[in-house]
Amino acid sequence: GWPRQLGITHQKMEIIVPRNFKLLDELEAGEKGGDGHVSWGKADEDIYLHNWMGSIIGPNSTMFQGNFYQLSVFCSDEYPDVAPTVKFITPVNMTCVDAQGNVIVSKVPELKNWSRNMTICEVLQGIRTLMSHSANKKLKQPPQ
């Protein structure tokens, strides 16, 4: 029939959003202010949108409470097919962060199970959620 001749099939079409469009959407969302607990934005004027800054406000009833944590987020040319690289600039003591401040991919569900539909915001929210987990919430924190 005619739909076949036009190349129309009934398969679900997945729209692949180009890297820069996705990052510009994330930038716009970040400029609107996030959720009040995490924020993110460009770290510099790199037109390729590689370098981002993120911040997390420590959750209440944890050793992180009242602290403001700054993170660097690097989105490679393979982003969003590859998760961003995240590093704490503010000293922090967490089970998912190594001694140099690097966030350990295998210990953050949003990085470990990364898919191209996920966002920098979701990664920051995931790290903030881990601050409230029993393994982290009572850990003594380095002086700020």
Side-chain angles (χ1 to χ4, degrees), residues 91-103:
V92 70
N93 182 14
M94 289 181 75
T95 56
C96 63
V97 180
D98 71 15
Q100 288 73 47
N102 300 300
V103 175

Side-chain angles (χ1 to χ4, degrees), residues 24-100:
L24 287 168
D25 274 352
E26 292 194 52
L27 179 60
E28 188 179 327
E31 286 170 348
K32 290 180 180 157
D35 65 1
H37 301 297
V38 302
S39 61
W40 63 97
K42 287 192 313 183
D44 57 30
E45 292 308 309
D46 169 22
I47 60 167
Y48 299 106
L49 303 169
H50 289 120
N51 300 305
W52 295 69
M53 293 299 291
S55 65
I56 298 173
I57 294 173
N60 291 341
S61 307
T62 70
M63 295 297 276
F64 306 95
Q65 180 174 331
N67 292 341
F68 180 83
Y69 295 92
Q70 210 168 13
L71 302 88
S72 67
V73 179
F74 178 78
C75 297
S76 72
D77 290 334
E78 285 75 47
Y79 183 89
D81 293 313
V82 174
T85 305
V86 185
K87 181 175 182 167
F88 273 85
I89 295 165
T90 310
V92 70
N93 182 14
M94 289 181 75
T95 56
C96 63
V97 180
D98 71 15
Q100 288 73 47

Side-chain angles (χ1 to χ4, degrees), residues 83-139:
T85 305
V86 185
K87 181 175 182 167
F88 273 85
I89 295 165
T90 310
V92 70
N93 182 14
M94 289 181 75
T95 56
C96 63
V97 180
D98 71 15
Q100 288 73 47
N102 300 300
V103 175
I104 303 163
V105 170
S106 62
K107 296 191 175 176
V108 177
E110 291 76 7
L111 292 172
K112 183 179 177 188
N113 305 314
W114 178 260
S115 77
R116 69 172 292 121
N117 299 323
M118 295 172 78
T119 63
I120 294 168
C121 174
E122 288 171 287
V123 171
L124 295 172
Q125 288 172 332
I127 294 168
R128 186 175 188 274
T129 297
L130 290 174
M131 289 176 166
S132 294
H133 283 196
S134 57
N136 290 309
K137 71 179 186 181
K138 292 192 166 69
L139 290 178

